[in-house]
Amino acid sequence: MKRPLQFIAYSCGALILCSATADTMMTQLKPGYWKMVSRMRIDAKLPMDGVPADMAAYLKSLGYNNEVIRTDYFCTNGDVSKIVADKMPANCKSKPFKFGERSFDAEFTCAGNTSRIHMTIDAPEHYNMTITGTGENVSMYSKADVTFVSTNCPKESKSDPMPSFDAFLKDSHRVKPGHWEASVSYTSNIKEVTQRVIPRLPEDKRAAVQEQFDNLIALINSNHDFHDCISGELERGLMEAKLNDDCPLSKPRIKGDTIIADGVCKTPGATFSAELTRQDSEHYSIKVFQTVPAGAETITMSGVLKSHYVSQDCPAAGMTTPPAGAAIDTKQ
């Protein structure tokens, strides 16, 4: 990844560099404020297997194997020597510039990557520019349309911001707000535990504990469909979901595309955890795992909730929440 990223950083910088050097041409450009609209694509052989969705989206936004369009603004005052000195990366080597009456050509080599720039001027207020580049397992093409805006240069640039990985990480934990439908299913060792625990209990407790076990077994053996309205913020949604009344979730932590939270259980010795994974803006899933002490035994239960987007409108009635887990009193 090191070489392609260096290649991008230089190429973007070169756009403004060669814009300014055009001031020395026979056909002069107007000094002042300019607008550049560029289309760029980087074709790179990158191993994407196992790359988190947020990182893949970030690379795509930079132009990796995807065409991106940017709008940039810059000022030029005609001081070419200073602009070249300021913009030229320290590790780059340049061949002599080639000036024509209405054209400009340059070639740079930076960290093993070569970029070639060609500019055609059709008026003092307009020019076109192409940049091509090659490097190790990577090639780049950019075409820009550049237009004069005004003689006044504002203090703040209106250029499109460079893609932020933090922003993509945040977006990767959001889904469409609105009406969602979900199903949940469970697996557990509770039947086996029941067969061992009930005979050990005092006779006056067996019926009550058996009823608790039966209720939980019935819950586990049936799939559940339910509806919910969510804001789209998955981290907040996970915290507000009533997945287990006995074990409210603690502050979640982020691991790639997954949001993980542990429960703080009221029942001594019980544990609960939940992992929410976003597949895309219309699908996410939650995996839960719970252990509950039952005398000398431990009940384990795991569940999978699969949820999908229905519509942006939430019905005023009919919302149902997932069945919450419960503790079992097996004190002997």
Side-chain angles (χ1 to χ4, degrees), residues 51-115:
V51 174
D54 47 20
M55 175 61 79
Y58 176 63
L59 291 173
K60 187 176 180 180
S61 74
L62 292 174
Y64 276 95
N65 302 322
N66 177 59
E67 184 178 84
V68 293
I69 300 175
R70 279 188 57 83
T71 300
D72 292 283
Y73 293 84
F74 63 93
C75 286
T76 176
N77 60 10
D79 188 353
V80 176
S81 60
K82 185 177 186 303
I83 294 175
V84 172
D86 290 344
K87 299 296 183 182
M88 178 73 71
N91 63 339
C92 293
K93 294 181 179 180
S94 172
K95 289 186 177 181
F97 297 159
K98 295 180 180 180
F99 296 93
E101 184 177 353
R102 293 181 176 271
S103 66
F104 168 81
D105 290 275
E107 181 175 324
F108 299 92
T109 301
C110 305
N113 301 313
T114 301
S115 295

Coordinates of all heavy atoms in Angstrom, one line a residue, residues 51-115:
V51 N -10.6 -7.6 3.6 CA -10.5 -6.2 3.9 C -11.9 -5.7 4.4 O -12.9 -6.0 3.8 CB -10.1 -5.4 2.7 CG1 -10.2 -3.9 3.0 CG2 -8.7 -5.8 2.2
P52 N -11.9 -5.1 5.6 CA -13.2 -4.6 6.1 C -13.9 -3.7 5.1 O -13.3 -3.0 4.3 CB -12.8 -3.8 7.4 CG -11.5 -4.4 7.8 CD -10.8 -4.8 6.5
A53 N -15.3 -3.7 5.2 CA -16.1 -2.9 4.2 C -15.7 -1.4 4.3 O -15.7 -0.8 3.3 CB -17.5 -3.2 4.5
D54 N -15.5 -0.9 5.5 CA -15.2 0.5 5.6 C -13.9 0.9 5.0 O -13.7 1.9 4.3 CB -15.2 1.0 7.1 CG -14.4 0.0 8.0 OD1 -13.5 -0.7 7.5 OD2 -14.6 0.1 9.2
M55 N -12.8 0.0 5.1 CA -11.6 0.2 4.4 C -11.7 0.1 2.9 O -11.2 1.0 2.1 CB -10.5 -0.7 4.9 CG -9.2 -0.6 4.2 SD -8.4 1.0 4.4 CE -7.7 0.8 6.0
A56 N -12.5 -0.8 2.4 CA -12.7 -1.0 1.0 C -13.4 0.2 0.4 O -13.1 0.7 -0.7 CB -13.5 -2.2 0.7
A57 N -14.4 0.8 1.2 CA -15.1 2.0 0.7 C -14.2 3.2 0.7 O -14.3 4.0 -0.2 CB -16.3 2.2 1.6
Y58 N -13.3 3.2 1.7 CA -12.3 4.4 1.7 C -11.4 4.3 0.5 O -11.2 5.4 -0.1 CB -11.5 4.3 3.0 CG -10.5 5.3 3.1 CD1 -10.8 6.7 3.2 CD2 -9.1 5.0 3.2 CE1 -9.8 7.6 3.3 CE2 -8.1 5.9 3.4 CZ -8.5 7.2 3.4 OH -7.5 8.2 3.5
L59 N -10.9 3.1 0.2 CA -10.0 3.0 -1.0 C -10.7 3.4 -2.3 O -10.2 4.0 -3.2 CB -9.4 1.6 -1.1 CG -8.4 1.2 0.0 CD1 -8.1 -0.3 -0.1 CD2 -7.2 2.0 0.0
K60 N -12.0 3.0 -2.3 CA -12.8 3.3 -3.5 C -13.0 4.8 -3.7 O -13.0 5.3 -4.8 CB -14.2 2.6 -3.4 CG -15.0 2.7 -4.6 CD -16.3 1.9 -4.5 CE -17.2 2.0 -5.7 NZ -18.5 1.2 -5.6
S61 N -13.2 5.5 -2.5 CA -13.4 6.9 -2.6 C -12.1 7.6 -3.0 O -12.2 8.8 -3.5 CB -13.8 7.4 -1.2 OG -12.6 7.4 -0.3
L62 N -10.9 7.0 -2.9 CA -9.7 7.6 -3.3 C -9.5 7.4 -4.8 O -8.6 8.0 -5.4 CB -8.5 7.0 -2.6 CG -8.4 7.4 -1.1 CD1 -7.3 6.6 -0.4 CD2 -8.2 8.9 -0.9
G63 N -10.3 6.5 -5.4 CA -10.2 6.2 -6.8 C -9.6 4.9 -7.2 O -9.4 4.5 -8.3
Y64 N -9.4 4.0 -6.1 CA -8.9 2.7 -6.4 C -9.9 1.9 -7.1 O -11.0 1.6 -6.6 CB -8.5 2.0 -5.1 CG -7.1 2.4 -4.6 CD1 -6.9 3.4 -3.7 CD2 -6.0 1.7 -5.1 CE1 -5.6 3.7 -3.3 CE2 -4.7 2.1 -4.7 CZ -4.5 3.1 -3.8 OH -3.3 3.4 -3.4
N65 N -9.6 1.5 -8.4 CA -10.5 0.7 -9.2 C -11.9 1.3 -9.3 O -12.9 0.6 -9.3 CB -10.6 -0.8 -8.7 CG -9.2 -1.4 -8.6 OD1 -8.4 -1.2 -9.5 ND2 -9.0 -2.2 -7.6
N66 N -11.9 2.6 -9.3 CA -13.2 3.3 -9.3 C -12.9 4.8 -9.8 O -12.0 5.4 -9.3 CB -13.8 3.3 -7.9 CG -15.1 4.1 -7.9 OD1 -16.0 3.9 -8.6 ND2 -15.1 5.2 -7.0
E67 N -13.8 5.3 -10.7 CA -13.6 6.7 -11.1 C -14.2 7.7 -10.1 O -15.3 7.5 -9.7 CB -14.2 6.9 -12.5 CG -14.0 8.3 -13.0 CD -14.6 8.5 -14.4 OE1 -15.8 8.8 -14.4 OE2 -13.9 8.4 -15.4
V68 N -13.4 8.7 -9.7 CA -13.9 9.7 -8.8 C -13.8 11.1 -9.5 O -13.0 11.3 -10.3 CB -13.2 9.7 -7.5 CG1 -13.4 8.4 -6.7 CG2 -11.7 9.9 -7.7
I69 N -14.7 11.9 -9.1 CA -14.8 13.3 -9.6 C -14.5 14.3 -8.4 O -15.2 14.2 -7.4 CB -16.1 13.6 -10.3 CG1 -16.4 12.6 -11.4 CG2 -16.1 15.1 -10.8 CD1 -17.7 12.8 -12.1
R70 N -13.6 15.2 -8.6 CA -13.2 16.2 -7.6 C -13.3 17.6 -8.2 O -13.1 17.8 -9.4 CB -11.8 16.0 -7.1 CG -11.6 14.9 -6.0 CD -10.2 14.9 -5.5 NE -9.9 16.2 -4.9 CZ -10.3 16.6 -3.7 NH1 -10.9 15.8 -2.9 NH2 -9.9 17.8 -3.3
T71 N -13.7 18.5 -7.3 CA -13.6 19.9 -7.7 C -12.7 20.6 -6.7 O -12.8 20.5 -5.5 CB -15.0 20.6 -7.6 OG1 -15.9 19.9 -8.4 CG2 -15.0 22.0 -7.9
D72 N -11.7 21.3 -7.3 CA -10.7 22.0 -6.5 C -10.6 23.4 -7.0 O -10.8 23.7 -8.2 CB -9.3 21.3 -6.6 CG -9.3 20.0 -6.0 OD1 -9.2 19.9 -4.7 OD2 -9.3 18.9 -6.7
Y73 N -10.2 24.3 -6.0 CA -10.0 25.7 -6.4 C -8.6 26.1 -5.9 O -8.0 25.6 -4.9 CB -11.0 26.6 -5.6 CG -12.4 26.4 -6.1 CD1 -13.2 25.4 -5.6 CD2 -13.0 27.3 -7.0 CE1 -14.5 25.2 -6.0 CE2 -14.3 27.2 -7.5 CZ -15.0 26.1 -7.0 OH -16.3 26.0 -7.4
F74 N -7.9 26.9 -6.7 CA -6.5 27.3 -6.4 C -6.3 28.7 -6.9 O -7.0 29.2 -7.8 CB -5.5 26.4 -6.9 CG -5.5 26.3 -8.4 CD1 -4.6 27.1 -9.2 CD2 -6.4 25.4 -9.1 CE1 -4.6 27.0 -10.6 CE2 -6.4 25.4 -10.5 CZ -5.5 26.1 -11.2
C75 N -5.3 29.4 -6.4 CA -4.9 30.7 -6.8 C -3.5 30.6 -7.4 O -2.6 29.9 -7.0 CB -4.8 31.7 -5.6 SG -6.5 32.2 -5.1
T76 N -3.2 31.4 -8.5 CA -1.9 31.6 -9.0 C -1.6 33.0 -9.3 O -2.5 33.8 -9.7 CB -1.8 30.8 -10.4 OG1 -0.5 31.0 -10.9 CG2 -2.9 31.2 -11.4
N77 N -0.4 33.5 -8.9 CA 0.0 34.9 -9.0 C 1.1 35.1 -10.1 O 1.6 36.2 -10.2 CB 0.4 35.5 -7.7 CG 1.6 34.7 -7.1 OD1 2.2 33.9 -7.7 ND2 1.9 35.0 -5.8
G78 N 1.5 34.0 -10.7 CA 2.6 34.1 -11.7 C 4.0 33.9 -11.2 O 4.9 33.9 -12.0
D79 N 4.2 33.8 -9.9 CA 5.5 33.5 -9.4 C 5.8 32.1 -9.5 O 5.7 31.3 -8.6 CB 5.6 34.0 -7.9 CG 7.0 33.9 -7.4 OD1 7.9 33.4 -8.1 OD2 7.2 34.4 -6.2
V80 N 6.2 31.7 -10.7 CA 6.3 30.2 -11.1 C 7.4 29.6 -10.2 O 7.3 28.5 -9.7 CB 6.6 30.1 -12.6 CG1 6.9 28.6 -12.9 CG2 5.5 30.6 -13.4
S81 N 8.6 30.2 -10.1 CA 9.7 29.6 -9.4 C 9.3 29.2 -8.0 O 9.7 28.2 -7.5 CB 10.9 30.5 -9.4 OG 10.6 31.8 -8.8
K82 N 8.6 30.1 -7.3 CA 8.2 29.9 -5.9 C 7.2 28.8 -5.8 O 7.2 27.9 -5.0 CB 7.7 31.1 -5.3 CG 7.3 31.0 -3.8 CD 6.9 32.3 -3.2 CE 6.7 32.2 -1.7 NZ 5.7 31.1 -1.3
I83 N 6.2 28.8 -6.8 CA 5.2 27.7 -6.8 C 5.8 26.4 -7.0 O 5.5 25.4 -6.3 CB 4.1 28.0 -7.8 CG1 3.4 29.3 -7.4 CG2 3.1 26.9 -8.0 CD1 2.4 29.8 -8.5
V84 N 6.7 26.3 -8.0 CA 7.4 25.0 -8.3 C 8.1 24.5 -7.0 O 8.1 23.4 -6.7 CB 8.3 25.1 -9.5 CG1 9.1 23.9 -9.6 CG2 7.5 25.4 -10.7
A85 N 8.9 25.4 -6.4 CA 9.7 25.1 -5.2 C 8.8 24.6 -4.1 O 9.1 23.7 -3.4 CB 10.5 26.3 -4.8
D86 N 7.6 25.2 -3.9 CA 6.7 24.9 -2.8 C 6.0 23.6 -3.1 O 5.7 22.8 -2.1 CB 5.7 26.0 -2.6 CG 6.3 27.3 -2.0 OD1 7.4 27.2 -1.5 OD2 5.7 28.3 -2.1
K87 N 5.6 23.3 -4.3 CA 4.8 22.2 -4.6 C 5.5 20.9 -5.0 O 5.0 19.8 -4.9 CB 3.9 22.5 -5.8 CG 2.9 23.6 -5.5 CD 1.9 23.3 -4.4 CE 0.9 24.4 -4.2 NZ 0.0 24.1 -3.0
M88 N 6.8 21.0 -5.4 CA 7.5 19.8 -5.8 C 7.9 19.0 -4.6 O 8.6 19.4 -3.6 CB 8.9 20.2 -6.5 CG 9.7 19.1 -6.9 SD 9.0 18.2 -8.3 CE 9.3 19.3 -9.6
P89 N 7.4 17.7 -4.5 CA 7.8 16.8 -3.4 C 9.3 16.6 -3.4 O 10.0 16.6 -4.4 CB 7.1 15.5 -3.8 CG 6.0 15.9 -4.7 CD 6.5 17.1 -5.4
A90 N 9.9 16.5 -2.2 CA 11.3 16.4 -2.1 C 12.0 15.2 -2.7 O 13.1 15.3 -3.2 CB 11.7 16.5 -0.6
N91 N 11.2 14.1 -2.8 CA 11.8 12.9 -3.3 C 11.6 12.7 -4.8 O 11.7 11.6 -5.3 CB 11.3 11.6 -2.6 CG 9.8 11.5 -2.7 OD1 9.1 12.4 -3.1 ND2 9.3 10.3 -2.5
C92 N 11.1 13.7 -5.5 CA 10.8 13.6 -6.9 C 11.9 14.2 -7.8 O 12.6 15.1 -7.5 CB 9.5 14.4 -7.3 SG 8.0 13.7 -6.5
K93 N 12.1 13.5 -9.0 CA 13.0 14.0 -10.0 C 12.2 14.3 -11.2 O 11.3 13.6 -11.6 CB 14.0 12.9 -10.3 CG 15.0 12.6 -9.1 CD 16.0 11.6 -9.5 CE 16.9 11.3 -8.3 NZ 18.0 10.3 -8.6
S94 N 12.6 15.5 -11.9 CA 11.8 15.9 -13.0 C 12.7 16.0 -14.3 O 13.9 16.5 -14.2 CB 11.2 17.3 -12.7 OG 10.6 17.9 -13.9
K95 N 12.2 15.7 -15.4 CA 12.8 15.9 -16.7 C 12.5 17.4 -17.0 O 11.6 18.0 -16.5 CB 12.3 15.0 -17.7 CG 12.7 13.5 -17.6 CD 12.3 12.7 -18.8 CE 12.8 11.3 -18.6 NZ 12.4 10.4 -19.8
P96 N 13.3 18.0 -17.9 CA 13.1 19.4 -18.4 C 11.7 19.5 -18.9 O 11.1 18.7 -19.6 CB 14.1 19.6 -19.4 CG 15.2 18.6 -19.1 CD 14.5 17.4 -18.6
F97 N 11.0 20.7 -18.5 CA 9.7 21.0 -19.0 C 9.7 21.3 -20.5 O 10.7 21.8 -21.0 CB 9.1 22.2 -18.2 CG 8.9 21.9 -16.8 CD1 8.8 23.0 -15.9 CD2 8.8 20.7 -16.2 CE1 8.6 22.9 -14.5 CE2 8.6 20.5 -14.9 CZ 8.6 21.6 -14.0
K98 N 8.6 20.9 -21.1 CA 8.5 21.2 -22.6 C 7.4 22.2 -22.7 O 6.2 21.9 -22.4 CB 8.2 20.0 -23.4 CG 9.4 19.0 -23.3 CD 9.1 17.7 -24.2 CE 10.2 16.7 -24.1 NZ 9.9 15.5 -24.9
F99 N 7.7 23.4 -23.2 CA 6.7 24.5 -23.4 C 6.4 24.6 -24.9 O 7.3 24.6 -25.8 CB 7.2 25.8 -22.9 CG 7.5 25.8 -21.4 CD1 8.7 25.6 -20.9 CD2 6.4 26.2 -20.6 CE1 8.9 25.6 -19.5 CE2 6.6 26.2 -19.2 CZ 7.9 25.9 -18.7
G100 N 5.1 24.8 -25.2 CA 4.7 25.1 -26.6 C 3.8 26.3 -26.5 O 3.6 26.9 -25.5
E101 N 3.4 26.8 -27.7 CA 2.6 28.0 -27.7 C 1.3 27.9 -26.9 O 0.9 28.8 -26.3 CB 2.3 28.4 -29.2 CG 1.5 29.7 -29.3 CD 1.3 30.1 -30.7 OE1 1.8 29.4 -31.6 OE2 0.6 31.1 -31.0
R102 N 0.7 26.7 -27.0 CA -0.5 26.4 -26.3 C -0.5 25.1 -25.5 O -1.5 24.5 -25.3 CB -1.7 26.4 -27.3 CG -2.0 27.8 -27.9 CD -3.2 27.7 -28.8 NE -3.6 29.0 -29.3 CZ -4.4 29.9 -28.7 NH1 -4.9 29.5 -27.6 NH2 -4.6 31.1 -29.2
S103 N 0.7 24.7 -25.2 CA 0.8 23.4 -24.5 C 2.0 23.4 -23.5 O 2.9 24.2 -23.6 CB 1.0 22.2 -25.5 OG 2.2 22.4 -26.2
F104 N 1.9 22.4 -22.6 CA 2.9 22.2 -21.6 C 3.0 20.7 -21.3 O 2.0 20.1 -21.1 CB 2.5 23.0 -20.3 CG 3.4 22.6 -19.1 CD1 4.6 23.2 -18.9 CD2 2.9 21.7 -18.2 CE1 5.4 22.9 -17.8 CE2 3.7 21.4 -17.1 CZ 4.9 22.0 -16.9
D105 N 4.2 20.2 -21.2 CA 4.4 18.8 -20.9 C 5.5 18.6 -19.8 O 6.5 19.4 -19.8 CB 4.9 18.0 -22.2 CG 3.7 17.9 -23.2 OD1 2.9 16.9 -23.0 OD2 3.7 18.7 -24.1
A106 N 5.3 17.7 -18.9 CA 6.3 17.4 -17.9 C 6.2 16.0 -17.5 O 5.2 15.3 -17.7 CB 5.9 18.3 -16.6
E107 N 7.4 15.5 -16.9 CA 7.4 14.1 -16.5 C 8.2 14.1 -15.2 O 9.3 14.7 -15.0 CB 8.2 13.2 -17.5 CG 8.3 11.8 -17.1 CD 8.9 10.9 -18.2 OE1 8.6 11.2 -19.4 OE2 9.6 10.0 -17.8
F108 N 7.6 13.4 -14.2 CA 8.2 13.3 -12.8 C 8.3 11.8 -12.4 O 7.5 11.0 -12.8 CB 7.3 14.0 -11.8 CG 7.1 15.5 -12.0 CD1 6.0 15.9 -12.8 CD2 8.0 16.4 -11.5 CE1 5.8 17.3 -13.0 CE2 7.8 17.8 -11.8 CZ 6.7 18.2 -12.5
T109 N 9.3 11.6 -11.6 CA 9.5 10.2 -11.0 C 9.6 10.4 -9.5 O 10.5 11.2 -9.0 CB 10.7 9.5 -11.6 OG1 10.6 9.4 -13.0 CG2 10.8 8.1 -10.9
C110 N 8.7 9.8 -8.8 CA 8.7 9.9 -7.3 C 8.5 8.5 -6.7 O 7.6 7.8 -7.0 CB 7.5 10.8 -6.9 SG 7.4 12.4 -7.6
A111 N 9.5 8.2 -5.9 CA 9.5 6.9 -5.2 C 9.2 5.7 -6.2 O 8.5 4.8 -5.8 CB 8.5 6.9 -4.1
G112 N 9.8 5.7 -7.4 CA 9.6 4.7 -8.3 C 8.3 4.8 -9.2 O 8.1 4.0 -10.1
N113 N 7.5 5.8 -8.9 CA 6.3 6.0 -9.7 C 6.5 7.2 -10.7 O 7.0 8.2 -10.3 CB 5.1 6.3 -8.8 CG 4.8 5.2 -7.8 OD1 4.8 4.1 -8.2 ND2 4.6 5.6 -6.5
T114 N 6.1 7.0 -11.9 CA 6.3 8.0 -13.0 C 5.0 8.6 -13.4 O 4.0 7.9 -13.6 CB 7.0 7.4 -14.2 OG1 8.2 6.8 -13.8 CG2 7.2 8.4 -15.3
S115 N 4.9 9.9 -13.4 CA 3.7 10.7 -13.8 C 4.1 11.6 -15.0 O 5.1 12.2 -15.1 CB 3.2 11.6 -12.7 OG 2.8 10.8 -11.6

